[in-house]
Amino acid sequence: MTFLTVDIGKKVYPNGCCAIENLAFAAQPGEFVAIVGPSGSGKTTLLNLIAGLDRELDGSITFHSRQAGQSSPRTGFIFQEPRLMPWLSVQENLELVLAPQARAHPVTPLQDWLALVGLPGCSALFPGQLSGGMQRRVALLRAFIVEPDLLLMDEPFQSLDAPTANQIRILLQDLWQRTRPTVLFVTHSLREALSLADRILFLSAQPSRVILDIPVDLPHPRTIEDLSVQKLHASLLDQYPQLLAGQIAPSRERPRIVHPCMR
Ligand code: ADP
């Protein structure tokens, strides 16, 4: 059953800027979808609309809950910066997002979660005492411990050095496979998208719409250095040289590759 249906006719900001036009897709429960588009194409605008942070749109965004009576999904949002509270310890940052019941009687103790993400013994430290990579681990954990149905990620690893980003991407795949939220992961890096996602939606330049929708049928965990990822990267750019600029050649606009779940 479909989890999320997005059907946006138009998203126009009050200053007249039309960020999105005729953008539609559906996502399945547990699916990891990367959204790739050029800078300024409307990726953050799209995530904000799906998160409900912005409700001004011409169109609809619908969730089909697995649980009767639950109208909106449990949603996690991971931003470009970790956004931890600097005056709270790691433990307090994590407890902040937990309901009182889960805080008092956690199914998995926080210490176990911290060990799982490679931060054993760090619960009393403050964000200022952590490296950028360690802060990202805490931010990932904070998103996953609430067991979200939907996880929205907006270029979360772009300011990390390459080896640290690789380690965190592996951790993300591990956490995702354990809890299986639907993930929408925004990036402008095709390699990063290919290393993480089940499926990639490519957006046009502004106003954005989906120009290509492809499955990525490679086993997890992956890294951007994997030969299979590099081959797919090369063959996509060979087939669509202007893809990352948000264009596919007019002669190739049809037939669009459609993900099986959209048929
Ligand atoms: P991306 O995340 O792909 O870089 P954005 O969603 O941030 O793109 O922006 C898409 C377009 O919408 C850009 O032209 C941007 O200038 C415009 N935009 C974003 N936020 C606002 C806003 N609050 N008011 C007016 N225009 C905006």
Side-chain angles (χ1 to χ4, degrees), residues 58-235:
D58 172 5
S60 64
I61 292 169
T62 317
F63 294 98
H64 312 272
S65 176
R66 277 173 280 186
Q67 286 162 29
Q70 189 184 326
S71 56
S72 53
R74 225 175 333 191
T75 303
F77 208 135
I78 300 187
F79 302 91
Q80 291 176 6
E81 296 305 322
R83 298 197 185 185
L84 302 175
M85 305 294 167
W87 60 89
L88 297 180
S89 68
V90 165
Q91 176 162 346
E92 289 163 339
N93 264 286
L94 295 171
E95 285 177 343
L96 203 59
V97 299
L98 292 175
Q101 171 71 13
R103 211 177 302 159
H105 306 288
V107 179
T108 306
L110 275 186
Q111 307 306 329
D112 293 0
W113 276 113
L114 282 167
L116 182 74
V117 301
L119 297 174
C122 291
S123 61
L125 296 180
F126 288 83
Q129 298 173 292
L130 305 177
S131 68
M134 291 162 86
Q135 292 189 27
R136 287 313 188 299
R137 287 173 190 264
V138 178
L140 265 187
L141 188 48
R142 183 180 54 185
F144 275 96
I145 54 174
V146 299
E147 296 187 13
D149 304 306
L150 175 65
L151 185 55
L152 303 171
M153 306 185 74
D154 191 359
E155 307 215 42
F157 311 138
Q158 71 166 3
S159 57
L160 292 174
D161 60 79
T164 306
N166 278 343
Q167 289 168 5
I168 304 276
R169 286 191 204 103
I170 294 284
L171 177 61
L172 169 60
Q173 291 173 77
D174 182 28
L175 290 169
W176 168 67
Q177 285 187 315
R178 281 169 192 270
T179 52
R180 280 288 177 152
T182 299
V183 179
L184 299 183
F185 187 103
V186 158
T187 178
H188 59 261
S189 162
L190 177 54
R191 278 196 180 84
E192 180 170 56
L194 289 166
S195 73
L196 292 171
D198 290 333
R199 174 181 167 206
I200 305 179
L201 302 179
F202 292 92
L203 302 188
S204 67
Q206 184 202 343
S208 64
R209 64 193 166 87
V210 177
I211 53 170
L212 193 65
D213 179 349
I214 61 156
V216 183
D217 192 14
L218 300 173
H220 288 279
R222 310 174 202 144
T223 73
I224 55 175
E225 279 99 21
D226 288 356
L227 195 57
S228 52
V229 167
Q230 293 189 22
K231 274 188 179 166
L232 204 45
H233 182 268
S235 86

Side-chain angles (χ1 to χ4, degrees), residues 13-15 17-19 37-46 154-155 186 206:
Y13 282 107
N15 66 356
C17 170
C18 181
S39 183
S41 59
K43 304 182 293 299
T44 300
T45 301
L46 176 62
D154 191 359
E155 307 215 42
V186 158
Q206 184 202 343

